[in-house]
Structure formats: C-alpha cells, structure tokens
Amino acid sequence: MGQLNASIVPVTAFQQNCTILFDMDDRQGVVVDPGGDIDKVLAVLKDNAINAGAIWITHGHIDHAGGAMELKEALGVQIIGPHEADRPLLANLENQAKLYGITDPVRNCMPDRFLSEGDTVSFGQHAFEVFHCPGHAPGHVVYYNRAAKFAHVGDVLFRGSVGRTDLPGGDHAALIASIKDKLLPLGDDIGFICGHGPGGRFGEERRSNPFLI
C-alpha cells in the first residue's frame, strides 16, 4: 500500500476545497465534493495520472455537490454519500443555484449509495470510516482514515471555526455535539482537510477553537 495523498482543487466562487484523495504508488483515488469547475478537476486528474474510481460527497450543499452529476458522467463512476438525510438538499441543487444567482450549469444529484454511521468506504487498500455528523447539514458525513490519522471533515470543522448553522436544516447544538462527541475523541494528532480554507489538527482546535472551548 502506497502513501495516502491529497490534492486540493479550489472550485467555484465559494472557493470550496474539492479534494482528490489518491495512493502515491498506484495512483488510484476518489474525488471528494466536486462542487463545480469540473474541467479543472478533470485536468488535475489527467495531469497527475490519477484514476478516480468514485465520487464521495460530504453533504448536499451546492458548493460541495453541484458538479457531481457532471463528473459522474465524465468519469463513469458512482457517487457515494452523504447520509440520506441530505436527500432533499441534493434533489434541490438547481433551486439552490437560483438562490445564489449561479449561472453555471448545476444539476440535482442522486447518489448511487447513501451512507450511514459506521459504514466503511475505500479505494485500493485505503479504508475510511464514516461518521454521520449533522449540524451544518442534516446528512453531513465525515471520512476518517485511521491508518493515516486523517479525516476529511467537510464543513463540520474549520481551522479556528465551525460550520455555519443558519442554513435550512442547520442545528448549532448538533454540530458542536458532532465535533466533541465523534471527532475530537479520535485524538489530538488527527490531521484534517475541511471544505474551505486551510486544514489543521484536532488537538489545536480542541485547545484554541473559540467555538469548542
């Protein structure tokens, strides 16, 4: 098994971290949260000779799932995740685009497989545990690789902040519970990539994030 690596592709006006997770040796991987700018994502895959075998979604907001159907057709792969509680959001992406004044093509998304707490997803020999972490969105999931001490947390947690909860389905108490009860107990040394901006480590957030103290 080669080293797990990640390439971040900022996409759309939201500057969302579309993330390509891949194995350094065999170049097998997945695309997490293709919110848009799919031509840019495809170019990174091609330029780095990465074979993306699936699309993983953390939650159903437009900046994370708006380009999923287009990428699915381009790659011929399945869309996996998030939790089924985000089905209404994914079925409403076109209306989300209108609300934000987005003119780029956006299509409603229907995953091939929804995920639940305790599920496992993988590519090659890299296995990720699935945590259902509602609060920012009802069906938000986090992908955790125990061997690499790494998590993709989407919009649950940010460096020095947490996900917003003023959108439909948001619940601040549930969000903080997701972070404190499910993520932080994994350990201070867990590194994370989030949906926007720089990542970090759980320990630093536990010690200094003002929303968690």
Side-chain angles (χ1 to χ4, degrees):
M1 179 172 63
Q3 179 183 345
L4 177 67
N5 205 349
S7 177
I8 294 176
V9 187
V11 296
T12 78
F14 296 100
Q15 287 296 283
Q16 192 275 125
N17 290 335
C18 176
T19 305
I20 301 169
L21 301 174
F22 64 99
D23 184 284
M24 285 291 289
D25 288 351
D26 65 16
R27 316 303 283 182
Q28 300 299 307
V30 295
V31 178
V32 183
D33 287 355
D37 293 337
I38 297 307
D39 288 347
K40 186 187 298 186
V41 177
L42 291 170
V44 172
L45 292 172
K46 180 179 180 181
D47 292 347
N48 293 277
I50 298 169
N51 179 28
I55 297 164
W56 295 355
I57 304 295
T58 62
H59 64 290
H61 289 157
I62 189 169
D63 52 330
H64 293 257
M69 294 300 287
E70 181 183 349
L71 185 61
K72 171 186 170 73
E73 291 183 354
L75 296 177
V77 301
Q78 291 192 335
I79 298 172
I80 299 174
H83 186 279
E84 191 164 8
D86 268 10
R87 182 192 290 266
L89 288 174
L90 293 167
N92 201 42
L93 289 173
E94 293 171 13
N95 284 330
Q96 287 187 47
K98 293 176 183 177
L99 288 174
Y100 285 107
I102 295 171
T103 57
D104 294 337
V106 171
R107 289 160 54 193
N108 295 335
C109 176
M110 174 52 67
D112 296 278
R113 174 189 170 194
F114 285 106
L115 296 171
S116 299
E117 177 83 14
D119 284 349
T120 300
V121 293
S122 62
F123 60 89
Q125 298 183 59
H126 299 284
F128 289 74
E129 300 168 41
V130 175
F131 293 89
H132 178 209
C133 294
H136 175 68
H140 200 304
V141 297
V142 165
Y143 300 99
Y144 171 55
N145 186 289
R146 191 172 295 272
K149 297 185 176 181
F150 163 77
H152 194 299
V153 301
D155 283 1
V156 171
L157 177 68
F158 299 109
R159 184 185 289 186
S161 189
V162 297
R164 59 188 294 185
T165 54
D166 59 333
L167 298 171
D171 183 326
H172 184 75
L175 179 72
I176 299 303
S178 292
I179 297 169
K180 290 188 172 182
D181 297 345
K182 295 184 179 183
L183 299 187
L184 297 187
L186 296 173
D188 284 358
D189 58 344
I190 304 303
F192 68 89
I193 288 175
C194 47
H196 305 265
R201 293 194 179 276
F202 285 172
E204 181 61 28
E205 300 313 309
R206 181 183 60 79
R207 290 186 291 268
S208 65
N209 190 312
F211 293 91
L212 305 177
I213 297 174

